[in-house]
Amino acid sequence: MIEPVPMIHERKKTILSRLLDLAAYLLIPFLTIHFVKGSNWFTTNFSVLGNGPQKQNDFAFWGLFVGVYFFTILEIIAGYLALPPRSTFLIPVSLLLLTCAITTPYLPEVFPLKSFLHVVFAFLSAVCLSLFLGILVWRLGRTAPVQFKLFRAGLLLIFMCSGLLLAVAGIISSALEIFFTISMSVFCRRLERKLWLLQKPAAGY
């Protein structure tokens, strides 16, 4: 049973909070959409584009930026709830798998095994992120159903839309990756903000 813990210090509109807003609402959407500029969103994906000669550096930068954002904001969320290490191991695992995916080439004709591992790493990274958030929001919904009802519905909607995009394209397409990345980054930002607001009474606000 997860219970929010009191805030130790005042946190109004700190530099970190501003940076998280900037990342979630502007930089990640911009970088994600800019990366696939000029390509068909439903017939290709980030792996194919990222291993082309013109997109390799962009792919590495995008993956690093997104990975650092999710690791940072999920660690903040875990800190609010005083989660034990056994409940947060999926956070570093997801980041590690994303790093492995970015550094493993996707060139099926040249490196079939490495290309297969690239797909596995990328897929499992998204699965770990989804599992962590799914378990977390489900538990929060049980302890505070009114406050987190919309978050449970929102996360379910993200999963359903992702499944629909997968079914429509028949592959893990750029459209799916764009939607999942942007929607999850905004979702995490809204969840972090909600948890912070719930700390206020305990901090004497």
Side-chain angles (χ1 to χ4, degrees), residues 113-131:
L113 178 58
K114 290 184 178 179
S115 298
F116 172 75
L117 291 176
H118 170 94
V119 174
V120 172
F121 291 147
F123 177 75
L124 291 180
S125 176
V127 169
C128 288
L129 172 64
S130 300
L131 278 175

Side-chain angles (χ1 to χ4, degrees), residues 25-42:
Y25 299 122
L26 180 61
L27 293 179
I28 288 179
F30 172 77
L31 291 173
T32 302
I33 294 175
H34 178 73
F35 176 71
V36 298
K37 183 179 179 180
S39 65
N40 189 313
W41 291 10
F42 288 92

Side-chain angles (χ1 to χ4, degrees), residues 106-112 115:
Y106 181 77
L107 298 168
E109 295 81 8
V110 183
F111 305 113
S115 298

Side-chain angles (χ1 to χ4, degrees), residues 30 79 128 134 146 152 178:
F30 172 77
C128 288
V146 175
R152 297 178 78 175
I178 291 168

